[in-house]
Amino acid sequence: MESIVHRYPDRQAMARAAAAMVAERAAAAVAGCGTCHLALAGGSTPETLYRLLAASPWRETLPWKRMRFFWGDERLVGPDHPDSNFRMAWDAMLRSAPVTAAQLHPVPVAAGAPAEVAVRYGEILEKYARHRCRGQSLLFDLVLLGMGKDGHTASLFPGDRCGLPATATVIAVDGRAASPPLPRVTLTLAALGQCRDVVFLIAGREKTELLERMLADGNLQGYPAGMVRPRGRIDWLLAESE
Ligand code: 6PG
C-alpha cells in the first residue's frame, strides 16, 4: 500500500486538488472495470470538494453515468436533517449532478434500530457495491474520508472495536461521545480494506499536526484513521488553515 502526503495552504486549494484526483481515479476505475463505486465522506470538510465536482469543469468531465455513490458513515437522522451526511452531499453535489436516484445508495436510516440499519446497509453494499476489478473483489474503487481531532475516521473512534468481528462491513455505533452526539452506522476497517484507493481530506492545524505525528511515529494503531489499509494507495490531503 502506498501512502502519499500532499500539503495545501487552505481548504480551497485542497478541494481543487481533490477534485482533480477524484476525476482521475473515477476515469481510471471506469477504464479498468466499467464503473466507479465511490464512498463519500461526511462531516463538513468535503463540502467544498463536492461543490466543485458539481460545477464546471468537473461536471462535464466526471463519468457520472458510470458511477455509484455510497456513504462511509451516516448519523441516524432523516435525510433532511442538518446533521445528515446524505443531505450534505445531496445539497452540495448530487442534487445538481447528472445522476439518477438509482445510482445513489444512502444508508437506510429508516430501516429500524441502528443494528438493523447496519445489517440492511451491509446487504445494500453486497448487492450494489461488491464487484470484481482487475481480479480483485472490491466494494469501492475510491473512498473519501475525513479525520477528527482524535484520529477517528468515518464513525470509527479510538478505543472502539473498529468494526470487529473482522468480517463485518458495517456496524452501528452509539456515537454519544461524537460530535454531533448521534447514533451512527459506519463502514468498518474490513470494508475500508476492500477498496482500491483512499483519499483523506484533513483541514486545520490541530488535525494536520496529529496526522504528521501519526505518520512520523508510525504510531498508527491508536487511531482509526491510521488503521485504514486499502488495496491501492492512500493520499493524505492536508490543508494547514481551517
Ligand atoms: C462524520 C464523518 C467524520 C468526519 C470527521 C471530520 O460523519 O462526522 O464521517 O469522520 O469526516 O469527523 O469532520 P469535519 O470534516 O467536519 O472536520
Side-chain angles (χ1 to χ4, degrees):
M1 179 197 79
E2 267 188 293
S3 175
I4 306 99
V5 177
H6 313 258
R7 296 175 182 82
Y8 305 94
D10 55 43
R11 280 174 187 248
Q12 285 67 31
M14 178 173 73
R16 285 193 297 273
M21 204 172 277
V22 169
E24 181 261 327
R25 300 290 159 77
V30 169
C33 323
T35 59
C36 174
H37 292 184
L38 174 60
L40 297 173
S44 58
T45 302
E47 185 169 351
T48 311
L49 164 62
Y50 296 163
R51 293 191 184 284
L52 278 179
L53 291 175
S56 287
W58 308 115
R59 177 181 167 75
E60 292 80 29
T61 49
L62 256 68
W64 297 97
K65 294 296 181 202
R66 309 301 294 274
M67 297 176 74
R68 285 187 183 273
F69 297 85
F70 304 86
W71 275 257
D73 70 328
E74 185 57 276
R75 296 83 176 267
L76 296 189
V77 292
D80 295 329
H81 191 285
D83 287 331
S84 165
N85 285 336
F86 168 83
R87 175 178 165 179
M88 186 274 280
W90 173 258
D91 288 348
M93 173 172 68
L94 297 170
R95 70 185 315 153
S96 55
V99 295
T100 65
Q103 294 174 257
L104 310 183
H105 303 283
V107 174
V109 295
E116 179 57 27
V117 172
V119 168
R120 280 287 300 121
Y121 196 48
E123 292 167 352
I124 289 168
L125 295 185
E126 290 308 319
K127 183 172 182 181
Y128 295 105
R130 180 72 65 195
H131 64 293
R132 292 196 70 79
C133 187
R134 301 190 194 106
Q136 289 193 325
S137 172
L138 295 175
L139 287 172
F140 312 107
D141 301 288
L142 179 62
V143 176
L144 302 178
L145 289 172
M147 187 180 85
K149 293 177 181 173
D150 59 357
H152 81 256
T153 192
S155 285
L156 300 171
F157 297 93
D160 282 358
R161 291 157 48 82
C162 284
L164 298 179
T167 53
T169 54
V170 184
I171 58 168
V173 173
D174 80 8
R176 275 174 294 190
S179 173
L182 289 167
R184 297 139 178 262
V185 155
T186 183
L187 295 182
T188 62
L189 290 173
L192 294 171
Q194 297 173 61
C195 73
R196 181 164 309 285
D197 296 332
V198 169
V199 171
F200 272 93
L201 301 165
I202 302 174
R205 181 174 300 280
E206 188 174 347
K207 290 185 190 179
T208 55
E209 286 180 352
L210 169 61
L211 190 275
E212 300 272 14
R213 281 200 309 278
M214 284 163 58
L215 295 178
D217 305 350
N219 167 25
L220 301 173
Q221 288 309 311
Y223 306 100
M227 297 162 68
V228 174
R229 293 285 181 279
R231 303 279 172 77
R233 54 188 277 174
I234 296 183
D235 287 275
W236 303 91
L237 277 57
L238 312 183
E240 280 301 315
S241 69
E242 273 296 341

